Amino acid sequence: MKVEGRIFFLVAVFSVIVAGIYAYMTGTMTRDGVEPVGVVALILTGGLAFLAGSYLQFVARRIEPRPEDREDAEISDGAGELGFFSPGSYWPIGLAAAAALTGVALAFFHIWLLIIALGLVIIAIGGLVFEYHTGPNHD
């Protein structure tokens, strides 16, 4: 996770530097002065990247080094099972459709459609989470 943290820190530094350049360029090349929305967006992008990088560095100190973090690691060190991934689930499609319907409802600000869409999102999330849950009484 150290590598990912460093990448986020680089993005944070880049965003802050570009924010300074953007503020200077818009301040000197336009008659309206510094464009505040772009500067704030770039600074917040840098802050968010710094937040993610800090979290990854914090987690990297608490876990043992992964093969990606070691200089002497071989390719075979990363081999093996990575986890369980559902081979044929239709719930992600339903979740995507419900999220798209939620976006349409927000775009047109139809409260009735937003309530229905959020209900569908909750149902799809529940189906995705509990897809392989068999319950305590299952043999």
Side-chain angles (χ1 to χ4, degrees):
M1 295 214 172
K2 291 181 180 182
V3 174
E4 293 91 344
R6 288 182 190 140
I7 290 172
F8 274 107
F9 284 141
L10 286 174
V11 169
V13 169
F14 176 77
S15 296
V16 171
I17 290 171
V18 169
I21 294 170
Y22 184 79
Y24 174 75
M25 297 292 281
T26 58
T28 58
M29 295 187 159
T30 62
R31 286 180 272 170
D32 297 332
V34 176
E35 198 271 313
V37 176
V39 174
V40 170
L42 286 167
I43 290 172
L44 288 177
T45 300
L48 186 61
F50 180 78
L51 183 73
S54 299
Y55 173 75
L56 290 173
Q57 289 289 332
F58 177 76
V59 170
R61 283 188 304 215
R62 294 183 176 265
I63 62 173
E64 24 180 287
R66 301 178 307 158
E68 294 89 356
D69 296 331
R70 295 192 329 246
E71 294 286 334
D72 62 338
E74 298 289 329
I75 294 175
S76 62
D77 293 341
E81 186 175 330
L82 297 176
F84 175 73
F85 301 97
S86 179
S89 175
Y90 291 111
W91 284 109
I93 297 170
L95 183 59
L101 187 62
T102 304
V104 169
L106 284 171
F108 292 110
F109 201 65
H110 291 304
I111 300 298
W112 62 272
L113 186 59
L114 182 62
I115 292 169
I116 294 170
L118 287 175
L120 291 174
V121 165
I122 290 172
I123 290 170
I125 289 173
L128 189 63
V129 169
F130 294 114
E131 182 174 11
Y132 292 102
H133 180 71
T134 56
N137 297 327
H138 184 70
D139 290 348

